[in-house]
Each structure stands twice: as structure tokens, then as C-alpha cells.
């Protein structure tokens, strides 16, 4: 699945926030190249060729290969954070909000698995300043998930002795979906999201009868 196919499901043009069109094409090509070959093994010539452009044209829009990775990573993290935050701020019990947050976060990492692999696993290729910006976004992701778990513990819904450690485990579980998910696999993004929501509710000892029912809402 290409990055264009991944993002077409939401009815919006892939990477619509990136302009002009040439810059968007180069960014989409970079995502595919980084996901397939890894950041360090990808050259600017590889990226330009995938976009149907000359290497010189790339430098009109991006000064370096790292600038491309930084923009991909920032946009991807912001989108993933928005998905999680929207679910976290929803109505309902902590268990219902955690189920929705995990389901939504997992669906994003499955449906956008090519982009998500680059976003989540190429962080170390960024320079110090860019890396610090992305780490700050990751901390916001952590805070959103941790907040729901803390609410559940305070309300007596969850049995979690180590909230920080459990939050890390939950997010790691969700993010890793991008590494293995395949469109020709046995489950759809929705099905994986429902499964993981059920697993996470079991992890936190949620006191409810049908975890999977809430995850499917």
C-alpha cells in the first residue's frame, strides 16, 4: 500500500497540508523510500526518482534529506497525537475512553502503517534540534494515555500499580502494529483496533463485562 492509498480513506488528499504539489510528491516519495530501504540507505536521487523529478528539483523544496524526514515525522506525530487526544477527551468512563483511545490509535498505525513505520522508527536519524521537537510530541502522546489510566485508577476502575510503566507498555503495543500490519493480512485496521482495546483493558484490570463491545463503538 502506498502512502497515497493509506490516506485516501479519509476523503482528503494525501499530505494535503504540504504545498506546493511538487513538495507533497517529494514527501510522499520519501515516506515510501524510507519505509522500504531505511533512512540511511535512501539517497536524494532515490526520492526524486520516485517522485518523477530530478535530484536538483528536490533541493528547491527541501534543503536536506533530514529536513524531509523531520517534516514527515512532525506531521505524522501531530496526526497520531490528534487521533489519541480526540479519543482521550471524549465522554464516558475511563475504561470507555481508554478503549476508544487504544482502538483509534491502533487503527491509525495500521491504516497508515507505511507512514507510521517511518514516523516511529527513524527518530534516531534526526539531528538534536529536530529530535527534541519530536520527543516533545511523544511526551504529549504519553501524557494523554497516562491521564486516562490515572483517571481509571482514581475512580477505582483500573488496578494498575505502575501507571508510568503500564502507559509505556500500552503505547509500545499500539505503535508496534505499524511494524507488522499488512493490508493482505487476516485482520482489518478496525479489527486490530478492537482486539488491542480488549487486550489493554485486560492489562489494566478494567472492571467491565464486555471490553470488546465498547471498543467497537
Amino acid at each position: 500500500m502506498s502512502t497515497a492509498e493509506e490516506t485516501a480513506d479519509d476523503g482528503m488528499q494525501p499530505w494535503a497540508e504540504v504545498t506546493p504539489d511538487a513538495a507533497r510528491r517529494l514527501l510522499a516519495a520519501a515516506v515510501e523510500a524510507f519505509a522500504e530501504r531505511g533512512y540511511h540507505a535512501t539517497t536524494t536521487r532515490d526520492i526524486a526518482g520516485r517522485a518523477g523529478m530530478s535530484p536538483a528539483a528536490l533541493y528547491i523544496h527541501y534543503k536536506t534529506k533530514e529536513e524531509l524526514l523531520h517534516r514527515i515525522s512532525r506531521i505524522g506525530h501531530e496526526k497520531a497525537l490528534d487521533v489519541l487526544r480526540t479519543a482521550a477527551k471524549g465522554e464516558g468512563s475511563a475504561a470507555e475512553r481508554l478503549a476508544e483511545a487504544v482502538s483509534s490509535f491502533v487503527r491509525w498505525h495500521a491504516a497508515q502503517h507505511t507512514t507510521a513505520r517511518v514516523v516511529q522508527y527513524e527518530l534516531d536519524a534526526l539531528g538534536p534540534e529536530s529530535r527534541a521537537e519530536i520527543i516533545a510530541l511523544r511526551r504529549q502522546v504519553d501524557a494523554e494515555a497516562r491521564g486516562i489510566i490515572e483517571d481509571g485508577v482514581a475512580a477505582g476502575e483500573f488496578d494498575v500499580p505502575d501507571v508510568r510503566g503500564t502507559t509505556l507498555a500500552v503505547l509500545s503495543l499500539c505503535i508496534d502494529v505499524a511494524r507488522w500490519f499488512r493490508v493482505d493480512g487476516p485482520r482489518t485496521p478496525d479489527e486490530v483496533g478492537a482486539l488491542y482495546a480488549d487486550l489493554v483493558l485486560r492489562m489494566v484490570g478494567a472492571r467491565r463485562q464486555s471490553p470488546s463491545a465498547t471498543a467497537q463503538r
Side-chain angles (χ1 to χ4, degrees):
M1 178 185 284
S2 69
T3 54
E5 290 172 315
E6 283 185 342
T7 53
D9 290 342
D10 61 11
M12 297 182 64
Q13 186 177 19
W15 301 99
E17 61 272 68
V18 180
T19 56
D21 178 69
R24 181 166 52 249
R25 284 164 50 202
L26 286 164
L27 187 141
V31 169
E32 293 176 1
F34 294 157
E36 180 182 316
R37 305 187 54 163
Y39 174 81
H40 292 294
T42 299
T43 66
T44 53
R45 184 175 295 275
D46 293 332
I47 296 168
R50 286 173 185 259
M53 301 167 67
S54 69
L58 184 149
Y59 294 109
I60 295 174
H61 302 284
Y62 303 98
K63 295 178 182 178
T64 63
K65 186 175 69 168
E66 186 192 335
E67 183 181 336
L68 260 171
L69 178 62
H70 174 232
R71 191 160 194 195
I72 292 165
S73 190
R74 178 168 51 80
I75 292 173
H77 275 87
E78 287 172 346
K79 287 183 176 180
L81 173 60
D82 184 62
V83 166
L84 181 59
R85 179 175 285 159
T86 298
K89 301 303 182 189
E91 298 181 355
S93 67
E96 290 171 331
R97 288 186 290 123
L98 183 60
E100 180 59 30
V102 168
S103 180
S104 299
F105 202 54
V106 166
R107 284 199 306 268
W108 188 87
H109 281 84
Q112 314 298 328
H113 61 277
T114 303
T115 298
R117 283 203 304 276
V118 176
V119 168
Q120 298 293 357
Y121 296 112
E122 294 288 356
L123 177 64
D124 289 342
L126 293 172
E129 185 175 342
S130 296
R131 191 170 187 274
E133 180 183 354
I134 301 306
I135 288 175
L137 287 170
R138 290 193 175 205
R139 286 174 178 157
Q140 292 181 57
V141 168
D142 181 270
E144 292 293 340
R146 189 173 67 249
I148 304 174
I149 296 174
E150 288 173 340
D151 288 348
V153 171
E157 293 184 54
F158 302 159
D159 180 12
V160 181
D162 182 348
V163 172
R164 286 187 177 276
T166 300
T167 301
L168 176 60
V170 168
L171 292 176
S172 297
L173 187 70
C174 297
I175 288 168
D176 195 56
V177 169
R179 182 184 57 79
W180 60 260
F181 184 83
R182 296 291 181 272
V183 292
D184 57 354
R187 288 188 171 94
T188 66
D190 283 346
E191 289 170 339
V192 178
L195 171 64
Y196 275 49
D198 181 68
L199 292 172
V200 167
L201 288 174
R202 293 174 187 272
M203 284 173 60
V204 299
R207 294 181 174 86
R208 50 198 302 271
Q209 294 182 342
S210 180
S212 58
T214 297
Q216 299 265 13
R217 288 183 185 177

